[in-house]
Amino acid sequence: DDVQEHVTFRTQAYTNHTTILTRTESAFSRLEEYATAKLVITNRIHVALPCVAMGTPVIFINSKDIGDASTSRGSDRLAGLTDLFHTIDAYTEKDVEERFAAFDWTNPPANPKPSKFKRLRATFWNIIRSHATLHRSARMFGLVPLPSVGMIAPEKPQIFHLIFTSSGNSTIGIFKPGIFQLDKKASGAWNWRHQRTLESVLRYHPMATVYIHSNTLEQEQFAIFLEAGYDVRVQPYDLKQLLQESPASSLVDHIPKDEASNKYWYSHQTDMLRYLLVYKHGGIYLDTDVLVLRDLSALPENAVGYEAEDVLGSAFFKFEKGSAFLRKVIEKMALTYTGNDWAEIGPELLTNVFKEESEKSGADPATAFPPSAFFPIHYSNVLKYCFRDVDPDTVQRRTKELKEESWVIHLNSKLTGDETHLLKGSLCYSLLTLNCVLCNEIPG
């Protein structure tokens, strides 16, 4: 009864607005009402969606009588939208009574699925900003960056680190399948596959801060993400300074004056950076060819994963700031680095230090996950099983396994970097088209 005293009823049926101006004024007035309402109850999708956009809680009454209902459970027009509202399926009187009785009318909760809303909004904005006049107008009137609506900041800041050291003027070597022998080269420019890695992070962690550590990229290249309300920062790095501030200061002397003089330096530089940056700042590191498949918040503070039965992978890990284990890794790197072996400070180093520390203390220095968690397809099989295989049964089976067991997947650009066209029906087609926030851009 107390709630009913504060209810205002509105209809969407109008007959007295005869000009465009009066109709526009009426629509604007109605939007103002929605924006300031404590709660809106409706069975109209064109009422519910503006409310979600403005952060007004919505109870959406769904029934088989809505619009062009083609099934006994409601209209197909609502597919994919009803989870953005507090939807009540009003197919029986009991459905309505039970949901209404459980609802907090005094303090209506925010609309569900804010991350999905943010993703949809980013996609729409990506389309709108492609029209120069609309983009300029939005910036002129301060409409971007788009405000955070309905998002609740995590208790602990979520920090992700990506490293990008190449450029459009450089090339990246691609290994022959099955053997580590350079076979061909691909452009070193930031491309759609790198961007999907970034988007996969934001899809599951819309409130995260993502640092792209690079001396070749510009912040302006990621303007769309900032305008859409995501926190993506291009951060130049100084490897010499990072080393000087770390337990591996002696390695400063190993930095080549001419990078071309050390054929392994491209890989060694990124290996050093990943350990040093996460040791200094804490957070999650992932290569730019890793896709996030789910919310990673439940991972322990210190986590690594096996890429094979007895080898830890370095393409993805999570450590707290000042991690004792990473310190040991950095110290070992300083003692053993020669610059003459491509793999010497990658997975091999991580694995050796992990074993040494486990044997010393009798306990693992970090949680080590099985291959299915972070490296569900062995790097030697990624090209075949993810990019090339289109058999429906095997793709369906692998998709099910990923959903049940995996947190991320490593697509290993060292073996697949020249795969720029996606085969429809392949596992990678699904992964690289669905794990997005700018979902109007379909690669391949």
Side-chain angles (χ1 to χ4, degrees), residues 275-440:
Y275 305 138
L276 295 168
L277 288 167
V278 176
Y279 177 70
K280 182 175 181 178
H281 301 288
I284 291 176
Y285 168 79
L286 66 163
D287 279 358
T288 53
D289 55 2
V290 169
L291 283 180
V292 177
L293 303 178
R294 66 168 74 178
D295 186 346
L296 304 176
S297 302
L299 284 176
E301 282 299 307
N302 300 289
V304 290
Y306 285 98
E307 64 178 7
E309 187 175 342
D310 58 352
V311 179
L312 290 171
S314 60
F316 177 89
F317 53 72
K318 176 184 179 183
F319 286 101
E320 60 192 342
K321 179 179 179 180
S323 157
F325 173 67
L326 276 187
R327 182 179 180 86
K328 292 292 184 182
V329 170
I330 294 168
E331 289 173 347
K332 185 81 169 181
M333 179 173 69
L335 290 172
T336 61
Y337 180 68
T338 66
N340 299 322
D341 180 358
W342 173 70
E344 66 178 311
I345 55 173
E348 181 180 316
L349 174 66
L350 267 185
T351 304
N352 289 340
V353 175
F354 191 90
K355 288 179 179 177
E356 290 170 5
E357 294 304 305
S358 295
E359 290 170 1
K360 269 187 203 173
S361 65
D364 289 346
T367 302
F369 284 79
S372 59
F374 306 151
F375 304 92
I377 301 178
H378 191 266
Y379 59 79
S380 62
N381 293 321
V382 170
L383 184 63
K384 176 182 177 182
Y385 293 152
C386 195
F387 286 91
R388 302 281 176 82
D389 190 353
V390 293
D391 177 70
D393 292 336
T394 55
V395 171
Q396 184 178 19
R397 174 176 58 79
R398 290 195 180 99
T399 300
K400 181 175 182 292
E401 290 170 351
L402 290 179
K403 286 181 178 179
E404 292 175 351
E405 302 174 21
S406 303
W407 301 73
V408 302
I409 183 171
H410 185 210
L411 300 183
N412 205 306
S413 290
K414 275 291 185 183
L415 293 169
T416 69
D418 61 338
E419 292 293 308
T420 56
H421 178 72
L422 297 176
L423 293 177
K424 287 190 176 181
S426 68
L427 179 62
C428 272
Y429 182 87
S430 173
L431 295 177
L432 286 162
T433 54
L434 294 179
N435 288 293
C436 56
V437 293
L438 306 180
C439 301
N440 63 303

Side-chain angles (χ1 to χ4, degrees), residues 128-403:
I128 293 168
R129 80 190 296 269
S130 66
H131 300 275
T133 301
L134 295 177
H135 191 205
R136 281 197 304 270
S137 297
R139 298 182 71 156
M140 183 185 301
F141 292 102
L143 300 180
V144 290
L146 302 175
S148 181
V149 174
M151 302 297 299
I152 300 174
E155 292 184 9
K156 188 170 184 180
Q158 298 172 320
I159 299 174
F160 289 80
H161 302 276
L162 304 177
I163 296 171
F164 193 80
T165 59
S166 61
S167 70
N169 297 323
S170 62
T171 56
I172 306 300
I174 306 296
F175 288 125
K176 279 185 178 180
I179 58 174
F180 284 101
Q181 179 180 336
L182 290 177
D183 180 36
K184 43 193 167 183
K185 294 181 180 292
S187 169
W190 179 270
N191 61 37
W192 62 266
R193 281 183 55 178
H194 302 128
Q195 180 147 312
R196 273 299 191 254
T197 289
L198 171 61
E199 290 184 44
S200 73
V201 173
L202 299 174
R203 177 184 176 93
Y204 295 102
H205 301 87
M207 298 295 285
T209 297
V210 182
Y211 291 98
I212 304 176
H213 302 274
S214 177
N215 293 338
T216 59
L217 298 175
E218 300 291 339
Q219 185 68 52
E220 184 60 28
Q221 292 176 249
F222 303 91
I224 172 59
F225 296 101
L226 299 180
E227 291 172 356
Y230 296 105
D231 189 3
V232 177
R233 310 181 192 184
V234 175
Q235 186 75 41
Y237 61 84
D238 184 337
L239 179 57
K240 181 178 180 180
Q241 183 177 342
L242 286 168
L243 286 170
Q244 287 173 335
E245 297 172 348
S246 80
S249 57
S250 61
L251 290 184
V252 168
D253 296 334
H254 285 264
I255 298 177
K257 293 179 180 179
D258 177 13
E259 294 187 10
S261 65
N262 185 332
K263 63 180 179 179
Y264 302 126
W265 181 247
Y266 168 76
S267 294
H268 291 172
Q269 179 181 211
T270 57
D271 286 334
M272 291 179 185
L273 284 170
R274 71 189 69 191
Y275 305 138
L276 295 168
L277 288 167
V278 176
Y279 177 70
K280 182 175 181 178
H281 301 288
I284 291 176
Y285 168 79
L286 66 163
D287 279 358
T288 53
D289 55 2
V290 169
L291 283 180
V292 177
L293 303 178
R294 66 168 74 178
D295 186 346
L296 304 176
S297 302
L299 284 176
E301 282 299 307
N302 300 289
V304 290
Y306 285 98
E307 64 178 7
E309 187 175 342
D310 58 352
V311 179
L312 290 171
S314 60
F316 177 89
F317 53 72
K318 176 184 179 183
F319 286 101
E320 60 192 342
K321 179 179 179 180
S323 157
F325 173 67
L326 276 187
R327 182 179 180 86
K328 292 292 184 182
V329 170
I330 294 168
E331 289 173 347
K332 185 81 169 181
M333 179 173 69
L335 290 172
T336 61
Y337 180 68
T338 66
N340 299 322
D341 180 358
W342 173 70
E344 66 178 311
I345 55 173
E348 181 180 316
L349 174 66
L350 267 185
T351 304
N352 289 340
V353 175
F354 191 90
K355 288 179 179 177
E356 290 170 5
E357 294 304 305
S358 295
E359 290 170 1
K360 269 187 203 173
S361 65
D364 289 346
T367 302
F369 284 79
S372 59
F374 306 151
F375 304 92
I377 301 178
H378 191 266
Y379 59 79
S380 62
N381 293 321
V382 170
L383 184 63
K384 176 182 177 182
Y385 293 152
C386 195
F387 286 91
R388 302 281 176 82
D389 190 353
V390 293
D391 177 70
D393 292 336
T394 55
V395 171
Q396 184 178 19
R397 174 176 58 79
R398 290 195 180 99
T399 300
K400 181 175 182 292
E401 290 170 351
L402 290 179
K403 286 181 178 179

